[in-house]
Amino acid sequence: MKKLINAVENVVREQLEGMASAHADVLKVSYEPTFIYRADAPVANKVALISGGGSGHEPMHGGFVGKGMLDAACPGEVFTSPTPDQMYAAGSAVNSGAGVLYIVKNYTGDVLNFEAAAEMLAGEGVPVQSILIDDDAAVKDSLYTAGRRGVGATVITEKITGAAAEAGYDLLQCADLCRKVNTSSRSIGVALTSCIVPAAGKPTFDLGDGEFEFGIGIHGEPGRRRLPMASVDEITEMMASAILDDGVYTRTVREWDQARGEWVDKELVNAPLRSGDGVIAFVNSMGGTPVSELYAMYRKLSGLLDARGIRIARNLIGPYITSLEMQGASITLVKVDDEILKFWDAPVLTPGLRWGV
Amino acid sequence: MKKLINAVENVVREQLEGMASAHADVLKVSYEPTFIYRADAPVANKVALISGGGSGHEPMHGGFVGKGMLDAACPGEVFTSPTPDQMYAAGSAVNSGAGVLYIVKNYTGDVLNFEAAAEMLAGEGVPVQSILIDDDAAVKDSLYTAGRRGVGATVITEKITGAAAEAGYDLLQCADLCRKVNTSSRSIGVALTSCIVPAAGKPTFDLGDGEFEFGIGIHGEPGRRRLPMASVDEITEMMASAILDDGVYTRTVREWDQARGEWVDKELVNAPLRSGDGVIAFVNSMGGTPVSELYAMYRKLSGLLDARGIRIARNLIGPYITSLEMQGASITLVKVDDEILKFWDAPVLTPGLRWGV
């Protein structure tokens, strides 16, 4: 294992110290318990957005803390869920009184721990909502999830809901918008190489020189199947089909009902994209794949969407939700409307995503 | 070799088509000959900035075309210099009448070809200046250069000179500023892995599991020496010393003298950083190293600079001048003054670097 690290047990801590030092104008870091938060938090009258999850997916989530996006992020150890006390402490720190929205990727550990934190916060009278992100069209259930995994849509929901919170949306409006972006999103990923978790010291999985993994998760967990290596055009076509030919996806999620003070089951429906739709096309590097190769993927993707009458309204191309140094890429398509586009275009000032300021 | 590519001979062309499709609001691509240029070029009364070099270093240079940075970029094949006809055609296309500034990384092929293009343009009466970037403190001469290589400072000079051109600096003022940024910059890089040039199909060099290359260039050319793998703190300390303990560096460069219509030798002096200086600290991924590891490097670097009384005025952390999927990192320190900071902070709107718009 060759990485730019010191002792394995200090990897996350030292990376956070580097972030705090580099971006002191934007964010601060608490270490006991660990969370990253906006330097100007709590922001008066603004709903506070919080996400979190295992480290190793940078810039997500800590790199998305800042004006127009997250108020706080809770990093676990590499590929390990953060704990409820982190999420609770982050919520307490950044809540201005307008309430807290947790954006939770659908991984069992994250889900359980965010539920515990939401109950703790709610128990103190803090208005709280918790939205589950589950956009990965690759598999129905995975090694670490019941239901679909939360992947690329997380970045998009954080951006759009963050802008809405900045614009004055209240907690329920933010929750509705976040839910809408999630149910408008589908993703698929591929891996060409494994990554190495520092604490493990060896590749998470073995992938031969002549093969790739289709439908990979962001922790190196297995995807749909292992296939002989193919051209970027062929791989992109498989990925686009996995998203575009995915049928209606309906599922029941548990969400916190503030009025009733309990978790309630909610049915969500994700309808396929159709001709005439506009999308945000997000082509993401898993970390080790250079942006030049993402452009080759984007080239094919835009041709395929064009042939189906789907218009790319905006795009995002680069390493935004990664798996350490894994080579591979993911595609997320998000159906847009005027509300989504307005908040996508709104200013954002974070280490990982910045425009308009 | 596993890459997201189609046929090896189409790699650059298809990546450019992807860029053109993704960023049509910012840039366009000409294919015969090949260059990337601002969608709104030529920009009236503005000095036109042009750079270029082998592909494989994305987002540099094509990803830096746009408002506040480059007017055009000329990509060669992967790790291969572009040709004079590309540079000449780009200059003709984007010159508004205010003249053309070529920013040239010191690699022999780039230097010779940009010289030929400058003479062709000048022969037609186009005001032209050509500035050589040579910030790499690793080696005096390298496999591909006489004198020091041009590396990370290229990104910084393109940003700062681009903002100055946008603000109305004339050609000679732009050239002076570009020269100042270059002589205020020093860089050093390390590689943990090789990269694979698509046309070669195998790693450029072999690096054992337990070693890294210190002082690497951006094409996988040898550095100072090969060393046993070390911690990020140790590696960062070596890198910082290579920059900070580098003495006065004086060299003679050839630059185009517009008034005399010929190349003249110019002596440039690069003085070491001292206590009290402020810097832009640029910590760059060679492509395959994730941003999380760059933060560990930044953490150590900021401590080392602090101990020497050198203040980090601004930073840039991420993959900006890369070597395909190579794992490794580089550090560039640029001594700043008010003029440099003002233009660093100015708005920029390119695929690879964006703020303020």
Side-chain angles (χ1 to χ4, degrees), chain B residues 36-58:
Chain B
I36 302 152
Y37 60 107
R38 272 178 69 159
D40 58 348
V43 181
N45 303 317
K46 195 185 83 68
V47 172
L49 260 63
I50 299 176
S51 192
S55 293
H57 308 298
E58 289 72 20

Side-chain angles (χ1 to χ4, degrees), chain A residues 336-343:
Chain A
V336 297
D337 59 19
D338 290 347
E339 183 187 37
I340 288 176
L341 282 183
K342 178 177 77 175
F343 291 126

Side-chain angles (χ1 to χ4, degrees), chain B residues 28-296:
Chain B
K28 295 181 181 176
V29 178
S30 154
Y31 294 101
E32 300 287 345
T34 304
F35 60 92
I36 302 152
Y37 60 107
R38 272 178 69 159
D40 58 348
V43 181
N45 303 317
K46 195 185 83 68
V47 172
L49 260 63
I50 299 176
S51 192
S55 293
H57 308 298
E58 289 72 20
M60 188 184 83
H61 299 274
F64 297 141
V65 170
K67 190 175 164 61
M69 217 160 161
L70 295 179
D71 291 82
C74 306
E77 288 302 308
V78 174
F79 293 0
T80 302
S81 292
T83 53
D85 64 312
Q86 293 176 255
M87 302 155 177
Y88 165 76
S92 300
V94 301
N95 174 39
S96 69
V100 169
L101 181 73
Y102 285 133
I103 299 180
V104 186
K105 297 193 304 300
N106 189 28
Y107 284 94
T108 304
D110 291 5
V111 171
L112 293 176
N113 292 349
F114 270 109
E115 283 188 4
E119 283 178 23
M120 288 158 75
L121 269 191
E124 297 185 351
V126 174
V128 60
Q129 288 279 323
S130 194
I131 304 294
L132 213 63
I133 308 301
D134 63 344
D135 56 308
D136 190 347
V139 288
K140 170 135 184 39
D141 298 303
S142 82
L143 200 55
Y144 303 123
T145 59
R148 293 181 167 191
R149 300 174 292 211
V151 288
T154 316
V155 179
I156 313 295
T157 53
E158 290 176 3
K159 167 68 185 85
I160 290 168
T161 316
E166 207 74 53
Y169 271 38
D170 70 20
L171 183 59
L172 291 182
Q173 290 173 313
C174 284
D176 281 342
L177 177 59
C178 189
R179 210 179 278 117
K180 179 172 83 173
V181 177
N182 178 52
T183 56
S184 303
S185 301
R186 289 187 191 186
S187 298
I188 187 89
V190 297
L192 307 192
T193 63
S194 176
C195 55
I196 298 177
V197 175
K202 58 183 179 56
T204 306
F205 56 94
D206 291 315
L207 203 51
D209 268 353
E211 52 187 16
F212 75 103
E213 180 88 27
F214 183 71
I216 196 81
I218 56 172
H219 306 94
E221 65 268 36
R224 282 193 187 180
R225 55 189 184 280
R226 194 158 290 194
L227 292 166
M229 189 59 198
S231 71
V232 67
D233 279 1
E234 291 164 332
I235 291 173
T236 307
E237 195 152 2
M238 291 178 62
M239 293 170 78
S241 294
I243 293 175
L244 298 169
D245 299 334
D246 190 34
V248 174
Y249 175 59
T250 307
R251 71 282 197 199
T252 304
V253 298
R254 294 185 70 199
E255 292 191 0
W256 182 259
D257 187 312
Q258 180 69 21
R260 290 160 60 184
E262 60 181 27
W263 295 95
V264 296
D265 288 341
K266 208 156 217 174
E267 185 172 80
L268 297 180
V269 180
N270 188 330
L273 289 164
R274 296 163 184 232
S275 177
D277 286 344
V279 295
I280 297 170
F282 172 26
V283 179
N284 173 65
S285 167
M286 302 309 291
T289 284
V291 68
S292 51
E293 295 181 26
L294 300 183
Y295 280 119

Side-chain angles (χ1 to χ4, degrees), chain A residues 30-117:
Chain A
S30 154
Y31 295 100
E32 300 289 344
T34 304
F35 60 93
I36 302 151
Y37 59 107
R38 270 177 71 157
D40 58 348
V43 182
N45 303 318
K46 194 185 83 70
V47 173
L49 260 62
I50 300 177
S51 193
S55 293
H57 308 298
E58 289 72 19
M60 188 185 81
H61 298 275
F64 298 140
V65 170
K67 190 175 165 61
M69 216 160 162
L70 296 178
D71 291 81
C74 306
E77 288 301 308
V78 174
F79 293 180
T80 303
S81 292
T83 53
D85 66 310
Q86 293 176 255
M87 300 155 179
Y88 165 75
S92 300
V94 301
N95 175 37
S96 69
V100 169
L101 180 74
Y102 286 133
I103 298 180
V104 186
K105 295 193 304 300
N106 189 29
Y107 285 94
T108 304
D110 291 5
V111 171
L112 293 175
N113 292 349
F114 269 109
E115 282 188 5

Side-chain angles (χ1 to χ4, degrees), chain A residues 2 17 23 192 295 299, chain B residues 2 17 23 192 295 299:
Chain A
K2 289 197 290 188
E17 288 175 0
H23 307 293
L192 307 191
Y295 280 119
R299 169 185 173 275
Chain B
K2 288 197 290 188
E17 288 174 358
H23 306 293
L192 307 192
Y295 280 119
R299 170 185 172 273

Side-chain angles (χ1 to χ4, degrees), chain A residues 2 4-6 14-15 17 22-23 192 208-209 211 231-233 292-293 295 299 315 354-357, chain B residues 2 4-6 14-15 17 22-23 192 208-209 211 231-233 292-293 295 299 315 354-357:
Chain A
K2 289 197 290 188
L4 296 172
I5 60 173
N6 294 309
E14 292 180 348
Q15 291 171 352
E17 288 175 0
H23 307 293
L192 307 191
D209 268 353
E211 52 186 16
S231 71
V232 67
D233 279 1
S292 52
E293 294 181 27
Y295 280 119
R299 169 185 173 275
N315 62 63
R354 180 177 175 183
W355 56 70
V357 275
Chain B
K2 288 197 290 188
L4 296 172
I5 61 174
N6 295 309
E14 292 179 348
Q15 291 171 352
E17 288 174 358
H23 306 293
L192 307 192
D209 268 353
E211 52 187 16
S231 71
V232 67
D233 279 1
S292 51
E293 295 181 26
Y295 280 119
R299 170 185 172 273
N315 63 62
R354 179 176 175 183
W355 56 70
V357 275

